[in-house]
Amino acid sequence: MSVVIVGGNECMTRQYKDLCSEYKCKAKVYPKTTSSLKNIGTPDLLVLFTSTVSHKMIRRALNETRGQNVRIARCHTSSINALKSILEEHTAGLA
C-alpha cells in the first residue's frame, strides 16, 4: 500500500516513514510547500495534516489525485499517534 503524507512536522519525516513501514506501506512525505507535488503518483491513501499545511498546498494535493481511486484522510494534528490511528483504520482489512 502506498501512502502520501502532506503536511506534518519536517523534523518528523523519518518517523512518519518508519511508522508507515511498520504497517507495510511505502510513504512519501511532503512536509512543506513545494512544487514537487506533481510526482505524487497514484497513492492508495492520501493523509492531509491540516494544521501544518497551507490551504493552497491541500488544494494542489487534491487536484493531483482528482479522478483517481484514492482514499483521503484529513487530520488536524500531525502527531505519530494520529498517523498510527489513520494507518490502523485504513490497513485493517489488508492484514
Side-chain angles (χ1 to χ4, degrees), residues 34-86:
T34 61
S35 61
S36 66
L37 280 177
K38 296 222 182 280
N39 61 359
I40 283 181
T42 55
D44 297 314
L45 176 63
L46 176 64
V47 177
L48 300 171
F49 288 135
T50 57
S51 66
T52 56
V53 70
S54 67
H55 289 92
K56 182 179 179 181
M57 191 166 171
I58 289 174
R59 282 193 308 269
R60 187 179 296 162
L62 292 173
N63 284 337
E64 289 298 317
T65 59
R66 180 172 287 148
Q68 302 171 4
N69 188 17
V70 176
R71 291 180 283 173
I72 298 172
R74 295 175 188 240
C75 185
H76 188 68
T77 61
S78 56
S79 66
I80 288 293
N81 286 332
L83 180 60
K84 187 175 185 175
S85 66
I86 290 170

Side-chain angles (χ1 to χ4, degrees), residues 3-48:
V3 177
V4 171
I5 300 171
V6 177
N9 296 321
E10 191 173 0
C11 62
M12 293 178 62
T13 300
R14 172 54 44 201
Q15 294 172 351
Y16 294 148
K17 288 183 179 184
D18 290 344
L19 182 64
C20 287
S21 67
E22 288 178 21
Y23 285 89
K24 304 205 178 6
C25 299
K26 290 185 178 183
K28 288 183 185 178
V29 181
Y30 298 96
K32 52 185 184 174
T33 305
T34 61
S35 61
S36 66
L37 280 177
K38 296 222 182 280
N39 61 359
I40 283 181
T42 55
D44 297 314
L45 176 63
L46 176 64
V47 177
L48 300 171

